[in-house]
Amino acid sequence: MHANEPTWTDERIELLKSRFEAGLSCREIAADIGVSRNAVIGKLSRLNLRREGSGDERRPPRKNGEKGRRPKTAPRLQYQMLRALYAEPQRVAEEPIQDGHRCSLLELSAEKCRWPINTPGAEDFCFCGNTPVEGLPYCAGHTRLAYKPNSHLRVARR
DNA sequence: CCCTGATTCGC
DNA sequence: GCGAATCAGG
């Protein structure tokens, strides 16, 4: 059926222009046509249809000396990649962490897991106290919790 | 943190 | 010429 998938046909370009002039965002246009957002933006730029004062900020032309592309060492890019990779499948089951070694702040040492238990300042506030992983302040279970990408989901401290 | 647009560069 | 990668602002 569709032996070939042409890049930008006149129809596509017309559609692109229509959507663009209709005020749709590049994201919408891309999803509608079936291409990536960058493809839409790139084509629009090539067509000389760059947006004017709409949508976002005015940003001065970047220095030509600095390549827009960074091979590596990109803090933002790296964290975005990692986030994308770990995006959804983060299904966290409750880690069975052993209790019974809890200790107070004063009893805390390099040999005790420093994971806080309960609310700081409360009567029963203490620390995990399990044997930590070598080189880390937490025991195995709490290390996993500490490094959990979605730790912002309020992990029940145990 | 997520979104958007814009530019640069490799293919 | 096309589009992914990257940057930058809200």
Side-chain angles (χ1 to χ4, degrees), chain A residues 20 28 54 61 94 112 139 152:
Chain A
F20 174 74
E28 298 301 311
S54 279
E94 284 295 304
K112 307 267 189 179
C139 68
H152 63 82

Side-chain angles (χ1 to χ4, degrees), chain A residues 12-26 29 33 40 44 47-52 54:
Chain A
R12 292 244 232 202
I13 295 176
E14 282 184 61
L15 191 59
L16 175 66
K17 287 182 180 177
S18 297
R19 306 289 179 175
F20 174 74
E21 290 175 31
L24 292 176
S25 65
C26 291
I29 301 172
I33 298 180
V40 171
L44 283 174
L47 290 174
N48 226 302
L49 287 176
R50 287 163 288 166
R51 281 251 228 215
E52 278 184 53
S54 279

Side-chain angles (χ1 to χ4, degrees), chain A residues 68-124:
Chain A
R69 210 174 222 179
R70 303 264 54 175
K72 289 170 183 75
T73 322
R76 277 159 189 163
L77 188 274
Q78 285 210 14
Y79 100 86
Q80 283 185 65
M81 286 179 67
L82 288 173
R83 187 198 302 160
L85 286 174
Y86 285 78
E88 301 306 319
Q90 286 304 328
R91 210 58 259 187
V92 253
E94 284 295 304
E95 281 285 335
I97 298 170
Q98 293 186 1
D99 278 8
H101 300 86
R102 293 182 176 183
C103 63
S104 69
L105 174 61
L106 294 180
E107 295 174 310
L108 203 57
S109 72
E111 311 305 317
K112 307 267 189 179
C113 174
R114 301 187 178 192
W115 190 265
I117 306 293
N118 300 320
T119 306
E123 293 290 327
D124 54 357

